Amino acid sequence: EVQLVESGGCSVQSGGSLRISCTASGFDVATSDMAWYRRGSGNECELVSTIRHDGETFYTPLVKGRFTAATDSSKNTVYLDLNNLKPEDTGVYYCAADPRWGVVAGSARPCSGPLSDPMDYWGKGNLVTISS
């Protein structure tokens, strides 16, 4: 069974830092494409970052230079380090995965609307609140 379990969400002050984690089971993160999405006050998710099976990373311009994605294959875990946080970074952060198995049933998406980088499996989300 594929599972994505996020941890590390909390409340921090503007300018602060934190790390959120996503531990996977049922597949290997090192051979998968992983993504972090964020849902703000609406019901749509915006893509924050991706880290691909070949190590290539992407960051939305809003977070580039402040956030860093990384993979620890020994723990089958992906991380997102969030630095110099701003109130507009507040939201529920979702870990998502594409194990590159082709067409699969996957798990339910937690948000509506089109996705910049569609993924097959989703975690339950991690609330990050930034206070000014």
Side-chain angles (χ1 to χ4, degrees):
E1 180 186 6
V2 172
Q3 282 193 321
L4 296 169
V5 179
E6 298 115 329
S7 61
C10 64
S11 297
V12 297
Q13 288 192 325
S14 182
S17 301
L18 64 88
R19 163 176 278 193
I20 54 178
S21 305
C22 172
T23 299
S25 57
F27 70 99
D28 189 347
V29 299
T31 59
S32 303
D33 294 335
M34 305 295 296
W36 290 97
Y37 274 86
R38 176 172 68 198
R39 188 178 71 188
S41 56
N43 200 36
E44 294 194 355
C45 285
E46 60 174 335
L47 179 63
V48 175
S49 175
T50 60
I51 182 165
R52 304 224 172 262
H53 63 283
D54 60 1
E56 180 182 359
T57 55
F58 164 83
Y59 301 95
T60 185
L62 292 174
V63 308
K64 194 171 186 179
R66 300 189 296 121
F67 291 10
T68 303
T71 299
D72 184 341
S73 57
S74 68
K75 297 181 180 179
N76 213 33
T77 296
V78 293
Y79 302 97
L80 187 67
D81 289 323
L82 298 75
N83 298 301
N84 190 20
L85 284 159
K86 304 175 181 181
E88 53 264 40
D89 294 321
T90 293
V92 180
Y93 285 72
Y94 294 94
C95 173
D98 174 4
R100 301 169 61 235
W101 292 335
V103 177
V104 296
S107 61
R109 282 171 36 182
C111 39
S112 60
L115 296 177
S116 302
D117 197 333
M119 292 283 158
D120 296 321
Y121 297 97
W122 293 78
K124 295 188 182 302
N126 221 354
L127 178 61
V128 173
T129 304
I130 312 304
S131 58
S132 57

